[in-house]
Amino acid sequence: IFSLVCLTFTFLSQSLGRWLNTLSPLTAYSWDILGSLAGIAVFTAGNFLRTNPLIWFAAFAVVFLATVFERSWKWLLAAGVIGCVVLTVAGATRQTIWSPYQKITLENIYRDDDPDGGLLGIRLSVNNIMHQLMYFNIDEIDPVYRSPYQYFKHPIYQQALIIGSGTGNDVVLALKQGIGHVDAVEIDPEIYRVGKTLNPNQPYDD
């Protein structure tokens, strides 16, 4: 992937370099800095709008084809290759949620990996790494989640702050333990939305 990215930007940088050589050094450097800032702004806006890779690849294809090749067999070849890439990306990301921060996928998990054993919960992965499991029966959750309530029992604990509450497992347990007031903080709006709409224990409806 790194090599392909370098190769792609090598083509773009050749055209950019020829254009910058026609300008005075200070003017060229000013355009260079403005381009960097514009790239950061576009990247930030794309993340804020939760765009998926299809949008990014399509936008890049327009820029690449408009600046690199003239209308020749090379241009047509490049257009065909990029078109195949865009179609592949579209198919590969169809069941994916894109938050401002990461790629999110959901998968049903069954007891003992056997569909006949019943549904254990919904696994949420970020960037292809298992992140959380929303249990249909919260009593089946890993015992480590209960350790704060087992080792730090005290009658004054009537409030809880949960930082990184995710899909809400910790919130469910806190409420089941009888804590009267829970502040739950989750920075990723899509993970929060998944917890609010799909977590069977409905932690965020309280």
Side-chain angles (χ1 to χ4, degrees):
I1 292 174
F2 178 80
S3 298
L4 288 173
V5 170
C6 289
L7 184 62
T8 299
F9 280 92
T10 296
F11 286 109
L12 289 174
S13 64
Q14 296 302 306
S15 298
L16 179 61
R18 285 192 293 270
W19 178 70
L20 291 178
N21 279 335
T22 65
L23 306 173
S24 66
L26 187 58
T27 301
Y29 185 65
S30 298
W31 279 110
D32 186 26
I33 296 299
L34 286 173
S36 297
L37 295 174
I40 293 171
V42 171
F43 181 77
T44 302
N47 285 347
F48 179 77
L49 296 173
R50 307 173 199 179
T51 54
N52 62 47
L54 179 61
I55 303 298
W56 293 91
F57 275 95
F60 169 78
V62 172
V63 174
F64 187 84
L65 295 175
T67 58
V68 175
F69 294 111
E70 297 178 356
R71 294 186 182 276
S72 63
W73 68 269
K74 292 182 180 179
W75 190 92
L76 293 175
L77 177 61
V81 171
I82 292 176
C84 291
V85 170
V86 170
L87 290 175
T88 301
V89 170
T93 60
R94 189 171 300 165
Q95 302 299 324
T96 303
I97 302 169
W98 299 94
S99 81
Y101 306 100
Q102 53 209 350
K103 166 188 175 183
I104 300 171
T105 52
L106 303 173
E107 178 186 6
N108 286 337
I109 299 299
Y110 299 92
R111 291 182 183 84
D112 302 320
D113 295 326
D114 181 7
D116 295 331
L119 195 60
L120 178 64
I122 302 173
R123 178 166 60 196
L124 183 147
S125 299
V126 296
N127 302 326
N128 300 326
I129 299 173
M130 193 279 186
H131 186 59
Q132 293 178 357
L133 180 62
M134 291 179 284
Y135 289 84
F136 276 76
N137 181 0
I138 198 64
D139 293 330
E140 296 184 84
I141 199 170
D142 191 309
V144 71
Y145 278 84
R146 297 189 181 86
S147 57
Y149 309 102
Q150 295 172 345
Y151 298 115
F152 299 97
K153 294 181 179 179
H154 198 286
I156 67 170
Y157 297 146
Q158 298 301 315
Q159 302 181 37
L161 169 63
I162 299 173
I163 300 176
S165 58
T167 54
N169 286 336
D170 290 295
V171 177
V172 174
L173 284 176
L175 295 172
K176 287 196 69 173
Q177 293 294 323
I179 294 180
H181 181 92
V182 178
D183 288 306
V185 182
E186 173 55 49
I187 193 174
D188 193 312
E190 288 300 318
I191 290 182
Y192 162 73
R193 184 183 63 81
V194 169
K196 183 170 180 60
T197 58
L198 296 181
N199 193 321
N201 300 286
Q202 300 179 319
Y204 296 126
D205 287 348
D206 188 293

